[in-house]
Amino acid sequence: MALGSSATSVASSAGTAAVSVAVANPSTAASAISTVTTGKSPLEHAASAATKQDCNFLNALGPKPICSDIPVPTIKDMSEPYPGPADSLPTSK
């Protein structure tokens, strides 16, 4: 019973510590949430937006470039004209 109570108080104080860190450092909390949610830090999002490329700063640890072009799929126009009444030629009587 004492072990369960001890574990509960440790978990509670860890949760309280995490909340107090998030309140004390909102930019760090936002950065952590962004990284977990999107896989990119806010600075990587800013670099990607500024360069119009996909940037990942961890690529600097390997042979890949930090920012790389975003592949754009080719688009084939499959639309067809849909003539309406105004598109028909006037007939003379």
Side-chain angles (χ1 to χ4, degrees):
M1 188 79 133
L3 182 61
S5 173
S6 170
T8 303
S9 67
V10 169
S12 176
S13 59
T16 304
V19 169
S20 62
V21 167
V23 170
N25 300 312
S27 63
T28 303
S31 178
I33 291 169
S34 173
T35 303
V36 168
T37 306
T38 64
K40 286 185 175 185
S41 72
L43 192 56
E44 289 172 329
H45 281 289
S48 295
T51 60
K52 306 286 189 233
Q53 294 181 328
D54 183 25
C55 298
N56 185 342
F57 296 148
L58 291 177
N59 287 349
L61 301 176
K64 293 182 181 179
I66 294 173
C67 295
S68 58
D69 289 331
I70 299 171
V72 179
T74 56
I75 299 173
K76 185 176 179 184
D77 184 11
M78 300 290 289
S79 62
E80 296 178 13
Y82 185 72
D87 293 322
S88 23
L89 296 171
T91 57
S92 25
K93 292 187 177 184

